[in-house]
Amino acid sequence: MASVAKAPIISTAKTPQLDGQDSVAADPRASITGAPLLVKIYIVTQVPANPPEFELEDDVNAAPPSPISPNTPSPGTRRKRYKMVDRSETVLISRRSTVDEIRSCMLTAADIPPHLAADVTVKLRSTDGSTLIPLGPNLPTNTLQSQYRLEIDYGRLFPDPAYVNEQDINRHLKSLKDDLKMVETAAKKMKLYKVHNPVPLPEPSKRKLEQSRYVLKEEVKEALRCPQFDNWQWDSNELVVLLEQILIDLGVVKEYDIDLPTLRRFLLKIREAYNENPFHNFRHCFCVTQMMYGLLCSTGLLEKLLPIDRFILVTSCIGHDADHPGFNNAYQINALTDLAIIYNDVSPLENHHCAVLFSILRNPETNICKNVKDDVYREMRKGIVRCILATDMGRHGELMTAFKKASETVPYNYDDVEQKLLLMQMVIKCADISNEVRPPEVAEPWVDCLLEEFFTQSDTEKFEGLPTAPFMDREKVTKSNAQVGFIGFVMIPLYELVAKVLPNVETALLNPIRQALASYKEMQEAELKKK
């Protein structure tokens, strides 16, 4: 018997992109297309009434064997049958979905439990049933007047899922209970009945990483100090080791007596806290931390900072986007998300990142501050919170104004705690938006990742009827015009202001940024000529 459902009406409505990005295997250099990532499918399928209602009917034909028991009633008996009702659902199918993923989506809409999924056949037919429609990411669009029919063919597994034989079910349950009793009796005799609760072990990959010791070559350590470091050639385990090396090189491991196993567990937990977003992911966390380190080394600021300042900066960078959902503060506030409610619309994401970071530091197993005195820890926490909150681009103008005033003091007053912290806030801001400092082959894939995340948010906002930002709209934005605007109006003014205080910013950081701007302007001009 086949269960028939009126099925997919495909819309081109742009909706959220649900696919994550593997930090290593996913190809970050793939270009972004203008096509919607998802299509919206409307399905009408038959399901039991809620609550289920039984109807008695004559079974005029011999019922096929039950999947539970081969015993079936004789022809002509009256059986109980679920009353079926139509139910409408909306599902989303990604243009990147595999056939298996789309098939699973169809089965879920038809209420087919996972343990039966492998034994049924999914068929999609045209309205008149004469043509089979192939399942796949390029499923042809249709209209309300040409609805597809979704058929779930149970074959021998479940000849008629609507029939319920209560005697067979009771008999089967009794058999299961008897089997369970036999197993328990045998286990007692073998003295295995008592269940122990061992301490849970981390995943094998984590155990291996915690126990292993990577040996970094001197040229790798030296490259880490360079702002042009290529992040793409390292997998996520290696990024953890590189972060560990940065903390060692900054001197904070020795200064605050951080044992290496605790440091490794902390970094692994941080990696786990980052979501697999296209852009705001663990690799971005590494890039920001490494750029901060490269900036300190390139400008000589490293020698002017105390150990506590270095700890504040490196820990802030590591945790600055922890548990980022892939949707910015504007979305959080407009959509009235839990984060917006909790933090009263004030930097909801940045406050959340701080909370996640310090939750990890509260755990004795991952607390790299456990040997730090209380008064020092309070200073650390204060500085980390202020540095992470500074990454909210909603405060960009405020911080630029404050630092412009502070930079007028020559030489810069490093003895003033507030002025030094303000400089540290500017450093993390520079590191957070620093991709164009790197070579084009390293930087450009990040643009694709960021646009993918932006487009997903804009698609979602349109779908939910929320305000949208023009720079996130896939119908209005190209890579070149997005970068020309951002580099020219945000990056360069920020780095030029920092260059007034820190030496060598012009050569080490600003020159590559200006070259990137020139390249994107050429790309923009070429696109305009094609039009």
Side-chain angles (χ1 to χ4, degrees), residues 227-229 231 287-288 290-291 434-440 442-443:
Q228 283 73 40
F229 187 84
N231 66 92
C287 287
V288 173
Q290 187 276 324
M291 183 59 72
S434 62
N435 286 319
E436 301 308 324
V437 174
R438 306 181 193 275
V442 179

Side-chain angles (χ1 to χ4, degrees), residues 96-321:
R96 295 178 176 176
S97 295
T98 63
V99 173
D100 287 341
E101 289 169 341
I102 294 176
R103 180 181 184 276
S104 176
C105 188
M106 295 294 184
L107 290 173
T108 301
D111 278 353
I112 305 301
H115 66 280
L116 300 182
D119 298 304
V120 298
T121 303
V122 178
K123 297 179 181 179
L124 201 62
R125 294 186 179 274
S126 58
T127 306
D128 59 8
S130 62
T131 306
L132 278 175
I133 309 297
L135 290 179
N138 296 318
L139 196 64
T141 58
N142 59 359
T143 65
L144 286 170
Q145 288 72 36
S146 59
Q147 297 179 349
Y148 297 141
R149 292 191 299 146
L150 176 63
E151 297 181 358
I152 307 298
D153 188 351
Y154 296 86
R156 294 183 178 180
L157 171 70
F158 219 64
D160 191 345
Y163 286 117
V164 176
N165 189 318
E166 293 178 322
Q167 291 181 347
D168 288 346
I169 292 175
N170 291 334
R171 188 183 301 111
H172 187 64
L173 288 175
K174 184 178 183 303
S175 175
L176 289 175
K177 290 178 181 178
D178 291 341
D179 291 344
L180 180 61
K181 187 174 181 180
M182 291 175 60
V183 171
E184 290 175 352
T185 302
K188 286 180 180 179
K189 291 179 180 180
M190 297 172 64
K191 298 182 180 180
L192 296 175
Y193 184 74
K194 185 177 180 180
V195 179
H196 297 276
N197 295 314
V199 177
L201 294 174
E203 297 175 6
S205 62
K206 292 185 179 180
R207 291 203 302 273
K208 181 178 178 182
L209 186 56
E210 286 181 10
Q211 297 166 2
S212 65
R213 188 67 187 158
Y214 285 75
V215 178
L216 297 178
K217 296 180 179 180
E218 286 302 318
E219 54 262 37
V220 174
K221 296 179 182 179
E222 188 62 34
L224 271 176
R225 302 184 182 98
C226 176
Q228 283 73 40
F229 187 84
D230 184 357
N231 66 92
W232 296 116
Q233 60 182 306
W234 307 90
D235 67 31
S236 63
N237 284 341
E238 292 167 337
L239 294 181
V240 169
V241 177
L242 293 174
L243 285 174
E244 181 182 290
Q245 186 62 46
I246 290 174
L247 277 99
I248 293 172
D249 288 351
L250 287 172
V252 298
V253 172
K254 181 178 180 180
E255 178 71 23
Y256 297 109
D257 193 21
I258 304 172
D259 63 88
L260 293 181
T262 300
L263 176 59
R264 183 67 61 84
R265 288 193 295 269
F266 166 74
L267 293 173
L268 289 172
K269 196 65 178 177
I270 284 289
R271 182 179 70 176
E272 184 181 312
Y274 276 84
N275 297 314
E276 294 184 353
N277 299 312
F279 185 89
H280 291 99
N281 50 41
F282 179 65
R283 191 172 294 273
H284 169 68
C285 153
F286 168 80
C287 287
V288 173
T289 307
Q290 187 276 324
M291 183 59 72
M292 176 277 302
Y293 179 49
L295 189 153
L296 297 189
C297 295
S298 300
T299 62
L301 181 58
L302 184 62
E303 288 74 27
K304 297 185 178 182
L305 296 179
L306 300 174
I308 188 172
D309 304 323
R310 301 175 188 178
F311 184 90
I312 288 171
L313 268 176
V314 71
T315 309
S316 300
C317 290
I318 287 172
H320 84 284
D321 271 333

Side-chain angles (χ1 to χ4, degrees), residues 419-471:
Q419 287 208 5
K420 184 166 62 173
L421 185 55
L422 180 58
L423 175 59
M424 291 162 62
Q425 288 176 303
M426 299 302 284
V427 167
I428 192 173
K429 280 179 62 62
C430 286
D432 193 25
I433 59 171
S434 62
N435 286 319
E436 301 308 324
V437 174
R438 306 181 193 275
E441 65 273 15
V442 179
E444 190 168 343
W446 280 113
V447 182
D448 294 331
C449 294
L450 183 60
L451 288 179
E452 182 177 348
E453 202 167 291
F454 280 177
F455 292 161
T456 298
Q457 176 173 324
S458 182
D459 292 347
T460 305
E461 289 168 334
K462 291 178 183 179
F463 180 71
E464 296 178 355
L466 299 174
T468 60
F471 68 89

